[in-house]
Amino acid sequence: MSQPFTIRTARTADVPAIRSIIAPLAQERILIAKETVAYYEALPEFRIAESPDGVMLGCGALHIMWEDLAEVRTLATSSVARGLGVGHALVEELLAGARDFGVSRVFCLTFEVDFFRRHGFAVMEDQSVVDPEIYSELLRSHDEGVAEFLDLARVKPNTLGNTRMIRRL
């Protein structure tokens, strides 16, 4: 049976719908809301799940962090799309994109531990997943996702209760 939606690359016209899908999840503190400009800046990273009649059902982004490391971020489905396999399809699309980029590890910071486990992610027990030289390079990044990956104290108030997970490709 085919899925009742398609996955495609995001377009500028998608930003309002991306924000509307993320808003209730940000209100529940499941996702962190971003300024509108940040969604436009990250638009090439986003994939969209869309119904046949053009309604956005979900979104997700793949952010490259280093030569061998990327992050699945801003993965969200609309409330009407939950249980339709939208999240699954988006994660698989993002992982395929990571492989295309040559990335060998994908990170996520999530409350949905069981969901990501079903996709091959494991809880990061070893916090030293990058060598000290790369760690010092990553510290120069202004990206909050990199700070979350490095488990820096400055992001702790926004990430309390989240689980850091990683998958090797």
Side-chain angles (χ1 to χ4, degrees):
M1 183 168 122
S2 66
Q3 17 184 68
F5 55 87
T6 56
I7 306 288
R8 64 169 174 78
T9 303
R11 300 187 278 265
T12 56
D14 295 323
V15 170
I18 290 170
R19 292 193 61 201
S20 70
I21 286 175
I22 292 167
L25 298 168
Q27 203 165 31
E28 294 177 47
R29 298 183 51 87
I30 293 170
L31 290 177
I32 297 173
K34 298 175 182 156
E35 297 296 330
T36 303
V37 68
Y39 294 115
Y40 283 109
E41 290 172 343
L43 205 58
E45 301 176 351
F46 273 88
R47 297 299 172 266
I48 301 301
E50 186 175 68
S51 71
D53 57 350
V55 174
M56 186 183 300
L57 302 174
C59 63
L62 180 75
H63 181 74
I64 304 299
M65 297 169 73
W66 197 253
E67 175 184 8
D68 65 337
L69 184 65
E71 178 186 10
V72 168
R73 56 172 58 167
T74 321
L75 183 67
T77 58
S78 68
S79 59
V80 299
R82 296 211 178 99
L84 298 178
V86 170
H88 168 76
L90 284 165
V91 168
E92 291 306 314
E93 181 76 15
L94 296 173
L95 292 174
R99 286 184 198 93
D100 289 346
F101 278 112
V103 170
S104 60
R105 298 178 300 163
V106 179
F107 160 78
C108 70
L109 185 67
T110 185
F111 289 109
E112 302 296 333
V113 173
D114 291 338
F115 172 83
F116 279 97
R117 269 200 183 110
R118 289 192 301 272
H119 293 278
F121 285 76
V123 173
M124 288 176 58
E125 304 295 343
D126 180 11
Q127 302 303 320
S128 61
V129 293
V130 295
D131 67 42
E133 184 178 316
I134 293 171
Y135 184 91
S136 67
E137 289 284 336
L138 288 172
L139 281 175
R140 296 181 181 136
S141 174
H142 298 286
D143 185 87
E144 289 299 304
V146 173
E148 292 164 355
F149 174 75
L150 298 175
D151 203 24
L152 300 180
R154 69 181 169 88
V155 296
K156 295 250 189 241
N158 291 328
T159 61
L160 288 176
N162 284 352
T163 301
R164 294 160 27 105
M165 300 183 79
I166 196 158
R167 174 173 169 179
R168 297 195 182 279
L169 301 177

